Amino acid sequence: MAGATSADAAGEGFLSLRGLTKRYGGFAAVDDLSLDIGKGELVAFLGPSGCGKTTSLRMIAGLIEASAGRIAVDGRDLTHVPTYERDMGMVFQSYALFPHMSVAGNLAFGLEMRKLARAEIERRVREALALVHLEALGDRKPAQLSGGQQQRVALARALVIRPSILLLDEPLSNLDAKLRDDMRAEIRDIQTRLKATTIFVTHDQMEALTMCDRVAVMNRGRLEQLGTPEDLYERPASAFVATFVGRINRIEATAEGDVVRLGGEALRAARSAHGPVELMVRPHRIEMSAGAAAPPQAQDGPRNMLSGRVARSVFAGDLQHYEVEAAGRLLSVERSTVSHEPPLRPGEAVTLSWRVADTFMFERAS
């Protein structure tokens, strides 16, 4: 990474977490979290409710005291440093704007607490409003703004102090779907232009995959996998990551090396195992053809095949969703509607085919 800091050169990230833990009695909300985030990088903390992602963010911000571990920024230990001395900007899920202040007043508040000169405060407020395209709304109160505008004000308030790290706690969860899509792109654009080191907490896999450089998937207080969106989607390290990141079929079976027994069918996996396993394949990676005859082999490596019958067909705009009975199970299949072919009907015989390389396999308890 260009412009490495002293911490980067020492082998740590600009933000470094080591063994970060938060316990409430005997319960570990966050358990031994260790990771590094580079300067200017946007990393998502992704996981279901209760997985520890927001608790981790609040420990980084200093809003919650860590039970154990270390938090460092650019080599400086901040574990026991008060929140107001950590040089971090935070956008809360509820935005937490001051209702009695104008938009400009909300932005100026943090600068006034830092005792900047009035001219400098006014200049920074103007720049921050321009950054989020709210130049004409500085005199309005938060109640006079739409949800999207309030979200922009909260983002501008966090950025106006020019923090070393920006922390975003599910800032898009209160917006409707279309506005959420627009704000994803806007936040990513601002973060890229400012080269702001950012942590984005979300339970929405689409936000994590489309916005972030890397994603930390958390489950039950622990880090399951840290990697690029492509790493998580194409090379999940655990069954939890495979199922949480993207849609997937889960098939219980028994492995004998790289051969997997599924009822009377034999499938192949990309690695070997023995005993009870769970096979997984994503619905859009399954090719489906009408009839019982096997489709011609593709030139992309060995494939698995199953015969089945369509149980259900649902039109969903750009995709046609199918449920197919095959080998005594229901498998989800997705086909693009771009060809405008008539959908297959329930009861029709079909052949399913997918690459062995697209078959994930994880051991399961006996």
Side-chain angles (χ1 to χ4, degrees), residues 242 247-251 267 278-287 304 331-332 353-361:
R247 295 181 297 278
I248 204 160
N249 289 290
R250 306 175 66 167
I251 308 167
L267 304 178
E278 195 167 30
L279 288 186
M280 299 188 187
V281 59
R282 301 201 182 278
H284 69 280
R285 296 287 169 84
I286 300 175
E287 295 180 15
N304 283 316
L331 300 183
S332 295
S353 168
W354 67 91
R355 297 192 312 156
V356 170
D358 289 329
T359 310
F360 305 137
M361 181 169 67

Side-chain angles (χ1 to χ4, degrees), residues 122-167:
E122 292 176 353
R123 184 179 68 81
R124 287 205 196 181
V125 168
R126 286 195 302 271
E127 290 176 352
L129 288 173
L131 187 66
V132 296
H133 312 298
L134 293 176
E135 300 96 317
L137 302 182
D139 293 332
R140 292 193 185 181
K141 298 289 179 62
Q144 298 173 299
L145 304 176
S146 68
Q149 289 168 337
Q150 290 183 39
Q151 198 275 343
R152 287 183 172 91
V153 174
L155 179 61
R157 187 177 63 178
L159 291 171
V160 74
I161 62 173
R162 299 179 181 172
S164 61
I165 294 176
L166 180 63
L167 306 174

Side-chain angles (χ1 to χ4, degrees), residues 101-121:
M101 292 184 180
S102 67
V103 168
N106 268 274
L107 269 58
F109 180 79
L111 302 175
E112 292 168 350
M113 293 299 98
R114 289 164 173 75
K115 301 187 184 306
L116 272 65
R118 174 51 54 184
E120 175 67 8
I121 291 174

Side-chain angles (χ1 to χ4, degrees), residues 241-255:
V241 174
T243 55
F244 195 81
V245 180
R247 295 181 297 278
I248 204 160
N249 289 290
R250 306 175 66 167
I251 308 167
E252 292 187 354
T254 302

